[in-house]
Amino acid sequence: MTTDLNTLAIAIYVKIDDALKASPDLVPWRPKGGIAPTLSDAELITPAVMSALLGFTSERRRLRHAYAELTGMFPYLPGQSGYGKRLRKASGLVLHMIRMLAADTSLWSDDVWVIDSTPVECGRSRETARRSDLAGWATYGYCASHSRYFWGLRLHLLCTLGGLPVAFALIGAKADERKTLLGMLDAAPELVAAHPGQTIIGDKNYYGRAFERAVADRDLTLLRPARKNEPERAGAQLFKPLRQVIESINQAFKGQLDLERHGGRTPAGVVIRVLTRILALTAAIWHNDKTGQPIKRSLIAYDH
């Protein structure tokens, strides 16, 4: 196998197609009557992953590129509206494939995870914040890393040190990071059960006796820097280099996968655009792992 976008696309297509054959319940719901879709679900998701890796932030530009360059691989592609509707309905399948590909890598067994959140801006004007379909879910928040306020959501990521997404949540900008992490862990009990004694590294916001006790009750160990007026905590010398891991992962989402230029205008639209970017990163790591690449998180071979 080689590391290029077409090879990755074929590998993803086969993986999705095999998963659907093995588990027909993963097929997105559609009416029993009517005409059968010409485009399969594997053919639906694969171009979306390719577009995320290629950096297309416009649906029109993405489809123009697909019509011009991908007709050999995908003879039929619906129009923008039809494609978008089907892709939004396939979010459950995309979510399943993220976990399936992640679990099929050597990085899945890493015994250290890092947790952090990054802004997902959804608009800048007051009128957008007031009239958007995202109002109520998206809120105003503050990004300390870049010293700026924003209106939108936060993507909370739990990753391995190799950059593999393990769990994630997309919620309002003001949501409590500690409650979000516990919610992520409780939403995937099989994940916690498969990794007993796992170590989680977070920043100073993951504090509090009750929170740390809740993490310990799940057979997990939390490491974080000491807050002001706290004594030095164990593992402090490791935090600075390891914290850079999650920062670089967030930068990959923003700089290479254009996370904040998602273009979503409805909750379902934002969710599927974020999910396809997470699937794109996971698929690249999975493919790099299977082909024996030294840097598992590198996207260079797939962005052109």
Side-chain angles (χ1 to χ4, degrees):
M1 294 178 69
T2 58
T3 52
D4 59 61
L5 185 58
N6 288 342
T7 307
L8 175 60
I10 294 170
I12 295 173
Y13 172 85
V14 172
K15 196 75 172 178
I16 297 173
D17 195 53
D18 288 346
L20 290 172
K21 290 177 181 177
S23 303
D25 56 301
L26 294 174
V27 177
W29 181 89
R30 59 178 58 94
K32 293 183 179 180
I35 302 173
T38 305
L39 189 74
S40 71
D41 293 300
E43 292 173 320
L44 174 77
I45 295 173
T46 303
V49 173
M50 296 174 72
S51 298
L53 290 169
L54 288 169
F56 288 109
T57 58
S58 164
E59 290 292 311
R60 291 184 177 88
R61 286 187 61 196
R62 178 180 62 75
L63 285 174
R64 283 201 302 268
H65 174 267
Y67 293 143
E69 304 292 339
L70 303 181
T71 52
M73 298 178 67
F74 307 100
Y76 171 77
L77 289 171
Q80 178 182 346
S81 177
Y83 186 90
K85 287 178 181 178
R86 280 199 59 189
L87 190 60
R88 289 191 290 273
K89 291 179 180 179
S91 58
L93 175 58
V94 174
L95 193 62
H96 177 84
M97 292 310 304
I98 293 171
R99 174 60 61 83
M100 177 180 286
L101 291 179
D104 192 30
T105 67
S106 60
L107 283 70
W108 185 252
S109 59
D110 285 2
D111 57 2
V112 177
W113 293 336
V114 286
I115 179 71
D116 198 11
S117 65
T118 189
V120 180
E121 192 174 25
C122 297
R124 295 192 174 183
S125 70
R126 279 189 176 184
E127 194 66 13
T128 298
R130 187 175 67 86
R131 300 180 60 182
S132 173
D133 289 341
L134 300 171
W137 183 28
T139 57
Y140 284 101
Y142 180 72
C143 177
S145 299
H146 299 91
S147 302
R148 67 181 176 95
Y149 289 93
F150 68 96
W151 184 79
L153 309 166
R154 277 188 176 275
L155 176 62
H156 295 251
L157 280 170
L158 187 65
C159 301
T160 69
L161 291 178
L164 180 72
V166 173
F168 46 87
L170 187 64
I171 59 175
K174 291 183 178 179
D176 188 289
E177 292 178 311
R178 297 166 295 179
K179 291 181 179 179
T180 302
L181 174 57
L182 294 178
M184 291 162 59
L185 297 173
D186 291 343
E190 73 287 350
L191 177 66
V192 178
H195 296 83
Q198 194 79 6
T199 297
I200 300 178
I201 297 176
D203 60 24
K204 296 179 181 180
N205 292 325
Y206 296 92
Y207 70 96
R209 291 183 181 178
F211 169 70
E212 294 189 27
R213 186 163 51 249
V215 173
D217 289 344
R218 291 163 173 79
D219 196 17
L220 302 169
T221 300
L222 176 71
L223 297 180
R224 64 168 176 84
R227 293 172 64 85
K228 189 176 182 180
N229 299 325
E230 277 189 332
E232 193 70 22
R233 294 172 63 93
Q237 70 277 8
L238 302 175
F239 290 130
K240 189 171 183 179
L242 295 182
R243 282 293 305 161
Q244 292 301 315
V245 173
I246 190 67
E247 294 296 338
S248 65
I249 297 168
N250 288 338
Q251 183 56 38
F253 273 112
K254 293 188 172 187
Q256 294 176 279
L257 297 174
D258 299 291
L259 178 65
E260 288 201 283
R261 300 177 62 196
H262 53 80
R265 297 292 179 265
T266 64
V270 173
V271 166
I272 192 58
R273 285 166 171 82
V274 172
L275 285 179
T276 52
R277 284 161 170 80
I278 297 174
L279 177 57
L281 178 63
T282 305
I285 293 174
W286 168 75
H287 194 251
N288 288 336
D289 185 59
K290 294 299 182 183
T291 54
Q293 302 307 308
I295 303 176
K296 309 301 184 187
R297 192 163 46 86
S298 176
L299 304 179
I300 295 175
Y302 313 113
D303 64 0
H304 57 280

